[in-house]
């Protein structure tokens, strides 16, 4: 892959704002994120919650805020590498090569780490053949609803993700069974009551114990969590929604100065490695606040310093965007 001016690790609000700022400064950018969707925790953890402390928004739904960050962040054409994790950082000349778990080699001049709490990985059920059926019957998220058209789905979990997908897929799935290990739910009460009154078949007090099929999933064995009785459920897909685990993971091995699981930075958001910056929840310095409001400023500052590192003749101050002709679509005239 081509060398970019800046690689941004983490496609949450800070990473997306860094991508926007890179574009504003005429820099090419690439975003790497372990999740299939951009937006970080806004999208993955609390899409339906209101956020009240983003400058200029008295109140905004997290999913709408994420949509705005994505539109703003991608307008200059940042490349996306999703569902992959940056695993190695190798110094090459004046820049770096980032290697990913999927085997990509991504050259970059500078790096902005905005990895939040670290790479998010969906929790696996932990049963035999789970990896074998990954993406051919077992899914840890829904990227494309149409792939489940007419299919018999087993959705596992009792949290908001499981209930949201029951509601979202009901119109296109052939049938849906919700498999949950008890009869108490973490999901919003309103979602629970909607699903209870829908066509979804609630299999409570059950856990998935076995996967069946030859190359393609054909069914699962469910075990009653109290009586231990088993039964077979024919299905085409298991959608697992049993939470996420986050960890700094391989970033910890890159030689960065780490303090309590965070990356130490100076007032320019530079780490101890040349050309490597860290912003947002993943970085630490005296007086650090973990807020989207402050993270956006950190993104702008880090990218402007990265710009002057790549081009020593460039000014640190980016200028005022209101005086620039960005040619970006006016959100007020968006057709959506
Ligand atoms: P979650 O709230 O952590 O729920 C995970 C569910 O999976 C729980 O019901 C849990 O059961 C079950 N579970 C965990 N480990 C399991 C295992 N090994 N086998 C079987 N079941 C297991 O996860 P989530 O639904 O992905 O949500 C994550 C966060 O994002 C939450 O804070 C949620 O509110 C938020 N979120 C919000 C929205 C929304 O606002 N619409 C949408 C998506 C996510 P137990 O209850 O028995 O532990």
């Amino acid at each position: 892959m081509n060398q970019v001016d800046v690689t941004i690790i983490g496609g949450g609000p800070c990473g997306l704002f860094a991508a926007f700022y890179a574009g504003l400064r005429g820099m090419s950018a690439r975003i790497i994120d372990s999740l299939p969707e951009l937006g970080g925790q806004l999208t993955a953890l609390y899409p339906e919650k209101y956020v009240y402390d983003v400058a200029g928004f008295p109140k905004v739904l997290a999913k709408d805020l994420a949509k705005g960050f994505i539109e703003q962040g991608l307008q200059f054409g940042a490349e996306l590498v999703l569902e992959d994790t940056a695993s190695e950082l190798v110094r090459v000349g004046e820049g770096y090569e980032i290697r990913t778990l999927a085997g990509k080699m991504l050259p970059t001049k500078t790096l902005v780490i905005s990895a939040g709490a670290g790479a998010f990985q969906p929790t696996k059920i932990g049963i035999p053949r789970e990896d074998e059926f990954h993406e051919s019957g077992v899914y840890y998220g829904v990227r494309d609803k149409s792939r489940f058209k007419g299919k018999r789905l087993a959705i596992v979990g009792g949290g908001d993700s499981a209930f949201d997908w029951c509601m979202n897929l009901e119109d296109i799935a052939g049938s849906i069974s919700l498999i949950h290990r008890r009869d108490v739910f973490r999901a919003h009460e309103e979602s629970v009551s909607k699903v209870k009154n829908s066509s979804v078949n609630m299999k409570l007090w059950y856990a998935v114990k076995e996967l069946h099929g030859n190359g393609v999933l054909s069914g699962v064995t469910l075990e009653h969590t109290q009586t231990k009785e088993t039964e077979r459920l024919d299905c085409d897909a298991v959608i697992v929604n049993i939470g996420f685990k986050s960890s700094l993971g391989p970033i910890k091995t890159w030689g960065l100065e780490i303090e309590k699981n965070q990356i130490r930075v100076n007032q320019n958001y530079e780490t101890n490695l040349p050309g490597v910056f860290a912003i947002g929840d993943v970085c630490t310095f005296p007086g650090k606040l973990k807020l989207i409001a402050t993270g956006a400023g950190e993104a702008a500052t880090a990218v402007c310093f990265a710009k002057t590192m790549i081009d020593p003749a460039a000014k640190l101050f980016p200028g005022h965007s209101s005086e620039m002709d960005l040619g970006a679509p006016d959100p007020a005239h968006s057709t959506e």
Side-chain angles (χ1 to χ4, degrees), residues 165-174 176 194 197-200:
W165 283 119
C166 282
M167 293 186 288
N168 259 304
L169 293 168
E170 201 198 357
D171 57 339
I172 64 156
I176 299 182
K194 271 191 191 155
N197 291 312
S198 72
S199 64
V200 172

Side-chain angles (χ1 to χ4, degrees), residues 197-272:
N197 291 312
S198 72
S199 64
V200 172
N201 170 28
M202 307 273 270
K203 297 290 295 176
L204 303 183
W205 299 106
Y206 280 98
V208 179
K209 281 290 162 188
E210 283 178 58
L211 301 166
H212 306 288
N214 196 358
V216 176
L217 190 81
S218 59
V220 296
T221 296
L222 300 180
E223 184 185 77
H224 196 281
T225 50
Q226 293 176 312
T227 65
K228 304 296 174 198
E229 277 168 27
T230 59
E231 65 179 77
R232 168 113 181 193
L233 176 75
D234 291 335
C235 61
D236 307 302
V238 175
I239 304 178
V240 182
N241 289 286
I242 58 174
F244 296 93
K245 289 189 180 113
S246 68
S247 101
L248 263 191
I251 292 178
K252 277 190 170 169
T253 65
W254 292 358
L256 293 157
E257 220 177 289
I258 307 271
E259 190 181 308
K260 292 189 188 148
N261 239 15
Q262 283 144 1
I263 303 169
R264 177 157 278 287
V265 292
N266 67 14
Q267 71 278 12
N268 305 341
Y269 305 102
E270 289 166 310
T271 69
N272 57 312

